[in-house]
Amino acid sequence: MSARTFFRTLTVAAATAALGAALITGAQAATPSTAGAPEAAPSAVVKPGEENPFLGIELQGLKAERRMMYPAGHPVAFWALVLDDETAARHYRGGQFFVYAPATGEFGSFLDTDIVVRTVRAPRQVVIADSGFMRSHPRVEVRYGNPDRPERAFTVATATIWM
């Protein structure tokens, strides 16, 4: 098994476990609607005990946002970092977005619908739900360019933990 395949498998397993834990601890089963479609996502109102795991991280070009997904028709709420409106509105051509920790050279991942991916092409697809990766590195960057040459990619947004 290649390292890339192992990393992807490990990342998918970790994301599934995290989302499953959220489902067990706080999500309620969806009530069937008459149209058969999932209900519209509720507003980002935070209930007591549903703290933002990204608190205390200095964000530049990013914002924390409460999101919903519906795996197997059941609503699951989760916190994610997304590009702020100004950064997402910029025009990007010829590259891909990726999450990179420059101190260690490690790559993070995005959540595309309910699938963990290493890169995305559109700024609205930048959804970082892995708070563990974010907290395990003092500085994490969202970069745009060629992920095979991260040192040459343009830094779009940063998340910094001051020790």
Side-chain angles (χ1 to χ4, degrees):
M1 176 184 301
S2 72
R4 178 179 256 172
T5 304
F6 174 75
F7 174 73
R8 284 184 179 169
T9 304
L10 182 63
T11 304
V12 169
T16 303
L19 292 174
L23 180 62
I24 291 169
T25 60
Q28 299 175 354
T31 55
S33 65
T34 56
E39 297 175 13
S43 63
V45 175
V46 180
K47 297 177 186 173
E50 294 181 351
E51 280 192 37
N52 177 352
F54 302 108
L55 287 175
I57 299 177
E58 181 182 309
L59 305 174
Q60 293 179 334
L62 293 166
K63 64 181 178 180
E65 187 174 277
R66 189 90 167 134
R67 296 235 164 161
M68 294 291 290
M69 73 167 59
Y70 294 89
H74 300 284
V76 176
F78 65 97
W79 282 97
L81 292 179
V82 298
L83 293 178
D84 64 20
D85 295 334
E86 180 182 328
T87 306
R90 294 182 188 145
H91 295 285
Y92 301 94
R93 291 182 49 173
Q96 298 175 345
F97 292 94
F98 58 96
V99 180
Y100 185 68
T104 61
E106 294 179 76
F107 290 88
S109 57
F110 298 115
L111 190 61
D112 187 10
T113 311
D114 62 348
I115 299 169
V116 178
V117 295
R118 183 175 173 211
T119 63
V120 294
R121 294 210 178 265
R124 298 287 178 201
Q125 292 176 304
V126 173
V127 178
I128 307 167
D130 188 358
S131 64
F133 180 81
M134 301 300 288
R135 292 202 170 278
S136 65
H137 298 85
R139 181 178 175 92
V140 174
E141 300 174 347
V142 175
R143 292 188 176 186
Y144 186 77
N146 183 350
D148 294 332
R149 296 180 180 241
E151 66 283 349
R152 293 186 180 179
F154 173 70
T155 300
V156 175
T158 62
T160 307
I161 299 175
W162 297 104
M163 304 280 176

mmCIF file of all heavy atoms in Angstrom, residues 4 92-100 105-107 110 118-121 141-156:
data_model
loop_
_atom_site.group_PDB
_atom_site.id
_atom_site.type_symbol
_atom_site.label_atom_id
_atom_site.label_comp_id
_atom_site.label_asym_id
_atom_site.label_seq_id
_atom_site.Cartn_x
_atom_site.Cartn_y
_atom_site.Cartn_z
ATOM 1 N N ARG A 4 0.503 7.408 0.117
ATOM 2 C CA ARG A 4 -0.619 8.273 -0.232
ATOM 3 C C ARG A 4 -1.951 7.568 0.029
ATOM 4 O O ARG A 4 -2.868 8.136 0.603
ATOM 5 C CB ARG A 4 -0.527 8.702 -1.688
ATOM 6 C CG ARG A 4 -1.682 9.559 -2.137
ATOM 7 C CD ARG A 4 -1.527 9.971 -3.557
ATOM 8 N NE ARG A 4 -1.102 11.365 -3.509
ATOM 9 C CZ ARG A 4 -0.713 12.056 -4.541
ATOM 10 N NH1 ARG A 4 -0.638 11.495 -5.708
ATOM 11 N NH2 ARG A 4 -0.375 13.310 -4.422
ATOM 12 N N TYR A 92 -8.875 32.922 -9.032
ATOM 13 C CA TYR A 92 -7.761 31.979 -8.977
ATOM 14 C C TYR A 92 -7.729 31.190 -10.278
ATOM 15 O O TYR A 92 -8.762 30.720 -10.732
ATOM 16 C CB TYR A 92 -7.936 31.012 -7.793
ATOM 17 C CG TYR A 92 -8.015 31.718 -6.451
ATOM 18 C CD1 TYR A 92 -9.239 32.060 -5.884
ATOM 19 C CD2 TYR A 92 -6.860 32.030 -5.750
ATOM 20 C CE1 TYR A 92 -9.309 32.693 -4.659
ATOM 21 C CE2 TYR A 92 -6.920 32.661 -4.517
ATOM 22 C CZ TYR A 92 -8.148 32.997 -3.977
ATOM 23 O OH TYR A 92 -8.208 33.623 -2.764
ATOM 24 N N ARG A 93 -6.531 31.032 -10.859
ATOM 25 C CA ARG A 93 -6.399 30.277 -12.119
ATOM 26 C C ARG A 93 -5.118 29.454 -12.099
ATOM 27 O O ARG A 93 -4.089 29.918 -11.624
ATOM 28 C CB ARG A 93 -6.338 31.224 -13.308
ATOM 29 C CG ARG A 93 -7.647 31.930 -13.570
ATOM 30 C CD ARG A 93 -7.574 32.816 -14.756
ATOM 31 N NE ARG A 93 -6.981 32.092 -15.895
ATOM 32 C CZ ARG A 93 -6.900 32.561 -17.099
ATOM 33 N NH1 ARG A 93 -7.345 33.764 -17.349
ATOM 34 N NH2 ARG A 93 -6.361 31.856 -18.075
ATOM 35 N N GLY A 94 -5.220 28.236 -12.607
ATOM 36 C CA GLY A 94 -4.038 27.428 -12.856
ATOM 37 C C GLY A 94 -3.493 26.637 -11.690
ATOM 38 O O GLY A 94 -2.351 26.202 -11.744
ATOM 39 N N GLY A 95 -4.252 26.433 -10.660
ATOM 40 C CA GLY A 95 -3.723 25.680 -9.526
ATOM 41 C C GLY A 95 -4.814 25.003 -8.722
ATOM 42 O O GLY A 95 -5.965 24.902 -9.158
ATOM 43 N N GLN A 96 -4.443 24.541 -7.540
ATOM 44 C CA GLN A 96 -5.362 23.885 -6.628
ATOM 45 C C GLN A 96 -5.122 24.411 -5.223
ATOM 46 O O GLN A 96 -4.008 24.822 -4.882
ATOM 47 C CB GLN A 96 -5.149 22.373 -6.631
ATOM 48 C CG GLN A 96 -5.388 21.718 -7.960
ATOM 49 C CD GLN A 96 -5.039 20.235 -7.927
ATOM 50 O OE1 GLN A 96 -4.384 19.743 -7.025
ATOM 51 N NE2 GLN A 96 -5.485 19.516 -8.939
ATOM 52 N N PHE A 97 -6.166 24.376 -4.403
ATOM 53 C CA PHE A 97 -6.041 24.743 -3.006
ATOM 54 C C PHE A 97 -5.614 23.512 -2.217
ATOM 55 O O PHE A 97 -6.081 22.401 -2.482
ATOM 56 C CB PHE A 97 -7.383 25.237 -2.449
ATOM 57 C CG PHE A 97 -7.828 26.553 -3.027
ATOM 58 C CD1 PHE A 97 -8.685 26.587 -4.118
ATOM 59 C CD2 PHE A 97 -7.390 27.749 -2.480
ATOM 60 C CE1 PHE A 97 -9.102 27.789 -4.653
ATOM 61 C CE2 PHE A 97 -7.812 28.962 -3.011
ATOM 62 C CZ PHE A 97 -8.663 28.980 -4.103
ATOM 63 N N PHE A 98 -4.738 23.712 -1.238
ATOM 64 C CA PHE A 98 -4.358 22.622 -0.341
ATOM 65 C C PHE A 98 -3.987 23.197 1.017
ATOM 66 O O PHE A 98 -3.652 24.370 1.142
ATOM 67 C CB PHE A 98 -3.224 21.775 -0.931
ATOM 68 C CG PHE A 98 -1.959 22.520 -1.258
ATOM 69 C CD1 PHE A 98 -0.905 22.558 -0.361
ATOM 70 C CD2 PHE A 98 -1.821 23.170 -2.476
ATOM 71 C CE1 PHE A 98 0.266 23.241 -0.665
ATOM 72 C CE2 PHE A 98 -0.655 23.849 -2.794
ATOM 73 C CZ PHE A 98 0.396 23.888 -1.886
ATOM 74 N N VAL A 99 -4.075 22.363 2.053
ATOM 75 C CA VAL A 99 -3.746 22.757 3.418
ATOM 76 C C VAL A 99 -2.337 22.266 3.695
ATOM 77 O O VAL A 99 -2.021 21.100 3.466
ATOM 78 C CB VAL A 99 -4.736 22.139 4.428
ATOM 79 C CG1 VAL A 99 -4.380 22.546 5.846
ATOM 80 C CG2 VAL A 99 -6.158 22.546 4.107
ATOM 81 N N TYR A 100 -1.492 23.154 4.219
ATOM 82 C CA TYR A 100 -0.079 22.840 4.384
ATOM 83 C C TYR A 100 0.437 23.398 5.707
ATOM 84 O O TYR A 100 0.134 24.542 6.075
ATOM 85 C CB TYR A 100 0.697 23.456 3.212
ATOM 86 C CG TYR A 100 2.161 23.129 3.164
ATOM 87 C CD1 TYR A 100 2.599 21.840 2.902
ATOM 88 C CD2 TYR A 100 3.111 24.123 3.364
ATOM 89 C CE1 TYR A 100 3.959 21.543 2.830
ATOM 90 C CE2 TYR A 100 4.465 23.838 3.292
ATOM 91 C CZ TYR A 100 4.884 22.543 3.032
ATOM 92 O OH TYR A 100 6.218 22.255 2.961
ATOM 93 N N GLY A 105 6.037 20.324 6.915
ATOM 94 C CA GLY A 105 5.873 19.858 5.543
ATOM 95 C C GLY A 105 4.696 18.900 5.377
ATOM 96 O O GLY A 105 4.591 18.232 4.356
ATOM 97 N N GLU A 106 3.803 18.836 6.359
ATOM 98 C CA GLU A 106 2.655 17.934 6.292
ATOM 99 C C GLU A 106 1.479 18.605 5.593
ATOM 100 O O GLU A 106 1.322 19.823 5.634
ATOM 101 C CB GLU A 106 2.220 17.509 7.693
ATOM 102 C CG GLU A 106 3.245 16.668 8.421
ATOM 103 C CD GLU A 106 2.772 16.299 9.804
ATOM 104 O OE1 GLU A 106 1.911 15.403 9.904
ATOM 105 O OE2 GLU A 106 3.250 16.920 10.771
ATOM 106 N N PHE A 107 0.639 17.775 4.983
ATOM 107 C CA PHE A 107 -0.561 18.247 4.297
ATOM 108 C C PHE A 107 -1.789 17.881 5.116
ATOM 109 O O PHE A 107 -1.868 16.801 5.680
ATOM 110 C CB PHE A 107 -0.680 17.613 2.910
ATOM 111 C CG PHE A 107 0.351 18.103 1.946
ATOM 112 C CD1 PHE A 107 1.582 17.483 1.849
ATOM 113 C CD2 PHE A 107 0.097 19.192 1.139
ATOM 114 C CE1 PHE A 107 2.548 17.945 0.966
ATOM 115 C CE2 PHE A 107 1.047 19.654 0.241
ATOM 116 C CZ PHE A 107 2.273 19.028 0.168
ATOM 117 N N PHE A 110 -9.334 18.642 3.077
ATOM 118 C CA PHE A 110 -10.607 19.355 3.018
ATOM 119 C C PHE A 110 -11.731 18.339 3.091
ATOM 120 O O PHE A 110 -11.528 17.152 2.844
ATOM 121 C CB PHE A 110 -10.738 20.122 1.693
ATOM 122 C CG PHE A 110 -9.695 21.190 1.491
ATOM 123 C CD1 PHE A 110 -8.764 21.087 0.474
ATOM 124 C CD2 PHE A 110 -9.660 22.305 2.307
ATOM 125 C CE1 PHE A 110 -7.814 22.070 0.264
ATOM 126 C CE2 PHE A 110 -8.713 23.292 2.109
ATOM 127 C CZ PHE A 110 -7.787 23.174 1.092
ATOM 128 N N ARG A 118 -7.546 15.860 -0.568
ATOM 129 C CA ARG A 118 -6.319 16.615 -0.312
ATOM 130 C C ARG A 118 -6.327 17.986 -0.976
ATOM 131 O O ARG A 118 -5.788 18.950 -0.436
ATOM 132 C CB ARG A 118 -5.120 15.820 -0.817
ATOM 133 C CG ARG A 118 -3.803 16.494 -0.532
ATOM 134 C CD ARG A 118 -2.629 15.628 -0.940
ATOM 135 N NE ARG A 118 -1.395 16.388 -0.805
ATOM 136 C CZ ARG A 118 -0.338 16.213 -1.557
ATOM 137 N NH1 ARG A 118 -0.333 15.294 -2.495
ATOM 138 N NH2 ARG A 118 0.731 16.935 -1.387
ATOM 139 N N THR A 119 -6.937 18.094 -2.158
ATOM 140 C CA THR A 119 -6.968 19.362 -2.884
ATOM 141 C C THR A 119 -8.370 19.637 -3.415
ATOM 142 O O THR A 119 -9.163 18.714 -3.612
ATOM 143 C CB THR A 119 -5.993 19.352 -4.082
ATOM 144 O OG1 THR A 119 -6.419 18.352 -5.009
ATOM 145 C CG2 THR A 119 -4.570 19.088 -3.645
ATOM 146 N N VAL A 120 -8.645 20.919 -3.633
ATOM 147 C CA VAL A 120 -9.887 21.339 -4.291
ATOM 148 C C VAL A 120 -9.535 22.448 -5.271
ATOM 149 O O VAL A 120 -8.503 23.099 -5.151
ATOM 150 C CB VAL A 120 -10.963 21.819 -3.282
ATOM 151 C CG1 VAL A 120 -11.436 20.679 -2.399
ATOM 152 C CG2 VAL A 120 -10.455 22.966 -2.422
ATOM 153 N N ARG A 121 -10.385 22.662 -6.253
ATOM 154 C CA ARG A 121 -10.104 23.673 -7.277
ATOM 155 C C ARG A 121 -10.815 25.010 -7.029
ATOM 156 O O ARG A 121 -10.299 26.052 -7.397
ATOM 157 C CB ARG A 121 -10.504 23.137 -8.647
ATOM 158 C CG ARG A 121 -9.645 21.972 -9.079
ATOM 159 C CD ARG A 121 -9.515 21.938 -10.592
ATOM 160 N NE ARG A 121 -8.662 20.847 -11.015
ATOM 161 C CZ ARG A 121 -7.375 20.985 -11.259
ATOM 162 N NH1 ARG A 121 -6.795 22.146 -11.130
ATOM 163 N NH2 ARG A 121 -6.654 19.949 -11.641
ATOM 164 N N GLU A 141 -1.396 26.751 6.684
ATOM 165 C CA GLU A 141 -1.704 27.667 5.590
ATOM 166 C C GLU A 141 -2.576 26.984 4.545
ATOM 167 O O GLU A 141 -2.402 25.801 4.265
ATOM 168 C CB GLU A 141 -0.416 28.144 4.923
ATOM 169 C CG GLU A 141 0.511 28.871 5.858
ATOM 170 C CD GLU A 141 1.849 29.223 5.238
ATOM 171 O OE1 GLU A 141 2.186 28.710 4.151
ATOM 172 O OE2 GLU A 141 2.558 30.022 5.858
ATOM 173 N N VAL A 142 -3.497 27.752 3.995
ATOM 174 C CA VAL A 142 -4.207 27.321 2.797
ATOM 175 C C VAL A 142 -3.423 27.948 1.657
ATOM 176 O O VAL A 142 -3.264 29.167 1.595
ATOM 177 C CB VAL A 142 -5.675 27.794 2.783
ATOM 178 C CG1 VAL A 142 -6.333 27.432 1.458
ATOM 179 C CG2 VAL A 142 -6.447 27.208 3.948
ATOM 180 N N ARG A 143 -2.910 27.100 0.785
ATOM 181 C CA ARG A 143 -2.099 27.587 -0.324
ATOM 182 C C ARG A 143 -2.793 27.267 -1.643
ATOM 183 O O ARG A 143 -3.585 26.352 -1.730
ATOM 184 C CB ARG A 143 -0.704 26.957 -0.298
ATOM 185 C CG ARG A 143 0.134 27.428 0.877
ATOM 186 C CD ARG A 143 1.544 26.961 0.774
ATOM 187 N NE ARG A 143 2.362 27.488 1.865
ATOM 188 C CZ ARG A 143 3.656 27.326 1.953
ATOM 189 N NH1 ARG A 143 4.310 26.653 1.007
ATOM 190 N NH2 ARG A 143 4.330 27.817 2.954
ATOM 191 N N TYR A 144 -2.419 28.039 -2.664
ATOM 192 C CA TYR A 144 -2.950 27.839 -4.000
ATOM 193 C C TYR A 144 -1.792 27.691 -4.965
ATOM 194 O O TYR A 144 -0.888 28.526 -5.012
ATOM 195 C CB TYR A 144 -3.832 29.015 -4.427
ATOM 196 C CG TYR A 144 -4.519 28.775 -5.742
ATOM 197 C CD1 TYR A 144 -5.625 27.947 -5.804
ATOM 198 C CD2 TYR A 144 -4.042 29.331 -6.912
ATOM 199 C CE1 TYR A 144 -6.252 27.691 -7.012
ATOM 200 C CE2 TYR A 144 -4.665 29.087 -8.124
ATOM 201 C CZ TYR A 144 -5.766 28.265 -8.162
ATOM 202 O OH TYR A 144 -6.382 28.006 -9.366
ATOM 203 N N GLY A 145 -1.817 26.627 -5.730
ATOM 204 C CA GLY A 145 -0.753 26.362 -6.694
ATOM 205 C C GLY A 145 -0.638 24.871 -6.919
ATOM 206 O O GLY A 145 -1.626 24.140 -6.882
ATOM 207 N N ASN A 146 0.602 24.405 -7.094
ATOM 208 C CA ASN A 146 0.882 22.997 -7.330
ATOM 209 C C ASN A 146 1.225 22.339 -5.987
ATOM 210 O O ASN A 146 2.250 22.670 -5.391
ATOM 211 C CB ASN A 146 2.057 22.857 -8.305
ATOM 212 C CG ASN A 146 2.364 21.419 -8.643
ATOM 213 O OD1 ASN A 146 1.848 20.490 -8.047
ATOM 214 N ND2 ASN A 146 3.239 21.238 -9.626
ATOM 215 N N PRO A 147 0.398 21.388 -5.503
ATOM 216 C CA PRO A 147 0.690 20.751 -4.217
ATOM 217 C C PRO A 147 1.973 19.924 -4.226
ATOM 218 O O PRO A 147 2.517 19.636 -3.168
ATOM 219 C CB PRO A 147 -0.540 19.881 -3.942
ATOM 220 C CG PRO A 147 -1.254 19.772 -5.229
ATOM 221 C CD PRO A 147 -0.858 20.927 -6.078
ATOM 222 N N ASP A 148 2.476 19.571 -5.404
ATOM 223 C CA ASP A 148 3.741 18.845 -5.477
ATOM 224 C C ASP A 148 4.940 19.765 -5.227
ATOM 225 O O ASP A 148 6.051 19.295 -4.993
ATOM 226 C CB ASP A 148 3.879 18.163 -6.837
ATOM 227 C CG ASP A 148 2.843 17.064 -7.030
ATOM 228 O OD1 ASP A 148 2.406 16.474 -6.011
ATOM 229 O OD2 ASP A 148 2.450 16.808 -8.181
ATOM 230 N N ARG A 149 4.710 21.063 -5.315
ATOM 231 C CA ARG A 149 5.742 22.071 -5.034
ATOM 232 C C ARG A 149 5.166 23.120 -4.079
ATOM 233 O O ARG A 149 4.940 24.271 -4.466
ATOM 234 C CB ARG A 149 6.210 22.726 -6.315
ATOM 235 C CG ARG A 149 6.890 21.750 -7.249
ATOM 236 C CD ARG A 149 7.336 22.447 -8.497
ATOM 237 N NE ARG A 149 7.976 21.483 -9.374
ATOM 238 C CZ ARG A 149 9.222 21.584 -9.762
ATOM 239 N NH1 ARG A 149 9.958 22.585 -9.383
ATOM 240 N NH2 ARG A 149 9.730 20.667 -10.558
ATOM 241 N N PRO A 150 4.918 22.736 -2.838
ATOM 242 C CA PRO A 150 4.250 23.650 -1.904
ATOM 243 C C PRO A 150 5.037 24.924 -1.606
ATOM 244 O O PRO A 150 4.438 25.965 -1.323
ATOM 245 C CB PRO A 150 4.072 22.810 -0.633
ATOM 246 C CG PRO A 150 5.060 21.714 -0.745
ATOM 247 C CD PRO A 150 5.244 21.460 -2.211
ATOM 248 N N GLU A 151 6.370 24.871 -1.709
ATOM 249 C CA GLU A 151 7.180 26.057 -1.421
ATOM 250 C C GLU A 151 6.966 27.153 -2.463
ATOM 251 O O GLU A 151 7.208 28.327 -2.199
ATOM 252 C CB GLU A 151 8.668 25.698 -1.307
ATOM 253 C CG GLU A 151 9.316 25.212 -2.586
ATOM 254 C CD GLU A 151 8.999 23.753 -2.965
ATOM 255 O OE1 GLU A 151 8.434 23.010 -2.148
ATOM 256 O OE2 GLU A 151 9.314 23.378 -4.104
ATOM 257 N N ARG A 152 6.485 26.807 -3.644
ATOM 258 C CA ARG A 152 6.234 27.787 -4.708
ATOM 259 C C ARG A 152 4.782 28.253 -4.757
ATOM 260 O O ARG A 152 4.448 29.156 -5.515
ATOM 261 C CB ARG A 152 6.602 27.199 -6.064
ATOM 262 C CG ARG A 152 8.076 26.963 -6.224
ATOM 263 C CD ARG A 152 8.378 26.532 -7.626
ATOM 264 N NE ARG A 152 9.813 26.297 -7.797
ATOM 265 C CZ ARG A 152 10.350 25.907 -8.907
ATOM 266 N NH1 ARG A 152 9.603 25.693 -9.972
ATOM 267 N NH2 ARG A 152 11.647 25.710 -8.983
ATOM 268 N N ALA A 153 3.913 27.622 -3.980
ATOM 269 C CA ALA A 153 2.485 27.965 -4.005
ATOM 270 C C ALA A 153 2.241 29.266 -3.238
ATOM 271 O O ALA A 153 2.973 29.632 -2.316
ATOM 272 C CB ALA A 153 1.666 26.824 -3.397
ATOM 273 N N PHE A 154 1.194 29.944 -3.630
ATOM 274 C CA PHE A 154 0.788 31.215 -3.035
ATOM 275 C C PHE A 154 -0.014 30.955 -1.753
ATOM 276 O O PHE A 154 -0.938 30.154 -1.756
ATOM 277 C CB PHE A 154 -0.054 31.977 -4.064
ATOM 278 C CG PHE A 154 -0.686 33.223 -3.536
ATOM 279 C CD1 PHE A 154 0.081 34.340 -3.226
ATOM 280 C CD2 PHE A 154 -2.053 33.288 -3.343
ATOM 281 C CE1 PHE A 154 -0.514 35.485 -2.747
ATOM 282 C CE2 PHE A 154 -2.651 34.434 -2.866
ATOM 283 C CZ PHE A 154 -1.877 35.535 -2.562
ATOM 284 N N THR A 155 0.340 31.621 -0.657
ATOM 285 C CA THR A 155 -0.401 31.485 0.600
ATOM 286 C C THR A 155 -1.650 32.357 0.535
ATOM 287 O O THR A 155 -1.566 33.575 0.393
ATOM 288 C CB THR A 155 0.468 31.885 1.805
ATOM 289 O OG1 THR A 155 1.613 31.036 1.840
ATOM 290 C CG2 THR A 155 -0.304 31.748 3.098
ATOM 291 N N VAL A 156 -2.806 31.714 0.640
ATOM 292 C CA VAL A 156 -4.101 32.392 0.535
ATOM 293 C C VAL A 156 -4.626 32.795 1.907
ATOM 294 O O VAL A 156 -5.168 33.881 2.080
ATOM 295 C CB VAL A 156 -5.119 31.460 -0.173
ATOM 296 C CG1 VAL A 156 -6.503 32.065 -0.197
ATOM 297 C CG2 VAL A 156 -4.652 31.137 -1.574
#
